[in-house]
Amino acid sequence: MRIRATVAAVSGALALSALALPAAHAADQARVPAENSVSKVAHTAHQGRSSFAAVASGTPYQLNATFSNVKVNNGKNIAVGTTNVVKVPVSFTLTHGTDVNIHAKDFFAAVELYRGTSFEDSIWFYDSTNGSCTDSSATVANCKATVSIDPAELLSEDAGSWKAAAYAVAFNGQNPSDPADPGKIGVVVKDPTNSFKLQRYSKLTVNASPEPVKKGKTITVVGKLSRANWDDGKYHGYTGQPVKLQFRKKNSSTYTTLKTIKTDSTGNLKTTTKATVDGYFRYSFAGTSTTPAVSAAGDYVDVK
């Protein structure tokens, strides 16, 4: 279950941007995801969604709106390194009743990316900015937003399977930070909308020598496979992973796999092959659920 933090709306603008809290990676500190008042209302209402059928005083009502065509990072997995904040594009179609003003200053529609079993039971999460919506009809709008993922807030254990949920909140004049009458607030949540992998960015190097080399002689090819460690903000060797040694001829655009070897205890690679013709050697890694695929840039060897 997530640990929730109450974060007030900023400067009266009711901004839905991610309100980042300092990363707490020390062993004696509990991480607390940043959360804004809009997200808080959506979660609270979703947990009590069974009461939407009969609106009671103090209970948000079911907003007359639905989500479809939700896309996260254009359908691709998300790779995060050790320093750069990754801006993840999200988009969705919002269909709503004529009684719902999606362009009101206190209406919000967003996407949450989370690690966990559900929108209401997650371990770590990131909320998008408020959706920028363009009407395609009186009751349908196409919306775009951005999720900012800061590696300083992640732990390596966060890599793997994540989900997305979409939510909308109409405050209808109520104070988002401290609503006087929650029963006047409309909420709708769709969970889950997507699944994807959040991955630790990978790097792969290669060096083939000697250069040049006589035909038939031995070429030694070394390299290293490493990936981001979100615990210490550094790159470390990825051990015991199968990596392909590949070659393409000088005037070809196609690589052929020569052999597959495994990284050692520090992520290093080393093997030998015979020199035949001029061309490029590279290592190629297929990836895992926590680490994206990566191929080194080809290293050219001139064969005499």
Side-chain angles (χ1 to χ4, degrees):
M1 180 73 74
R2 78 177 71 198
I3 301 173
R4 297 210 149 266
T6 302
V7 181
V10 178
S11 302
L14 312 182
L16 189 59
S17 58
L19 305 177
L21 297 180
H25 288 188
D28 59 346
Q29 290 180 297
R31 290 190 304 160
V32 180
E35 183 178 40
N36 51 65
S37 53
V38 180
S39 173
K40 182 177 175 64
V41 168
H43 279 277
T44 301
H46 192 53
Q47 290 170 349
R49 61 190 180 283
S50 60
S51 64
F52 284 160
V55 177
S57 177
T59 301
Y61 66 89
Q62 177 73 41
L63 187 67
N64 183 13
T66 58
F67 290 92
S68 61
N69 302 320
V70 180
K71 295 182 179 179
V72 176
N73 201 36
N74 300 311
K76 301 177 182 178
N77 292 327
I78 303 169
V80 180
T82 59
T83 56
N84 294 334
V85 174
V86 176
K87 303 288 187 178
V88 180
V90 297
S91 60
F92 52 88
T93 299
L94 182 62
T95 303
H96 58 90
T98 55
D99 59 322
V100 179
N101 181 9
I102 68 169
H103 299 296
K105 292 183 178 180
D106 58 355
F107 180 91
F108 301 91
V111 172
E112 181 170 290
L113 309 183
Y114 66 86
R115 173 190 167 214
T117 57
S118 67
F119 180 66
E120 58 197 41
D121 186 14
S122 58
I123 299 168
W124 196 252
F125 62 91
Y126 289 94
D127 289 302
S128 76
T129 56
N130 188 24
S132 175
C133 299
T134 301
D135 295 326
S136 59
S137 74
T139 57
V140 180
N142 296 312
C143 309
K144 296 181 179 180
T146 302
V147 180
S148 296
I149 300 180
D150 188 344
E153 300 167 352
L154 291 169
L155 294 176
S156 292
E157 66 185 39
D158 291 324
S161 298
W162 281 53
K163 298 176 184 177
Y167 60 92
V169 180
F171 283 97
N172 299 316
Q174 295 295 303
N175 183 346
S177 300
D178 186 20
D181 185 359
K184 294 181 179 180
I185 299 175
V187 177
V188 64
V189 176
K190 183 175 182 178
D191 175 52
T193 59
N194 307 74
S195 60
F196 60 93
K197 296 291 191 297
L198 184 68
Q199 298 177 310
R200 297 160 60 179
Y201 191 85
S202 55
K203 295 180 179 181
L204 185 55
T205 62
V206 66
N207 183 53
S209 62
E211 304 172 47
V213 64
K214 290 184 178 181
K215 185 175 181 178
K217 293 296 184 180
T218 298
I219 296 174
T220 300
V221 187
V222 298
K224 183 169 185 175
L225 175 64
S226 60
R227 61 175 178 165
N229 185 310
W230 296 330
D231 299 336
D232 62 11
K234 299 178 181 179
Y235 280 85
H236 296 276
Y238 197 6
T239 66
Q241 298 302 309
V243 178
K244 295 178 180 179
L245 173 65
Q246 299 181 326
F247 177 79
R248 71 175 173 89
K249 295 179 181 180
K250 180 179 180 180
N251 296 316
S252 172
S253 60
T254 303
Y255 275 95
T256 300
T257 298
L258 302 179
K259 63 175 74 175
T260 299
I261 64 173
K262 285 191 175 183
T263 57
D264 67 12
S265 60
T266 57
N268 290 318
L269 295 155
K270 184 176 182 180
T271 190
T272 59
T273 187
K274 294 295 182 180
T276 56
V277 296
D278 295 351
Y280 299 84
F281 290 92
R282 75 174 186 182
Y283 281 118
S284 183
F285 173 60
T288 63
S289 62
T290 60
T291 309
V294 62
S295 293
D299 186 24
Y300 181 74
V301 174
D302 181 15
V303 178
K304 299 297 185 180

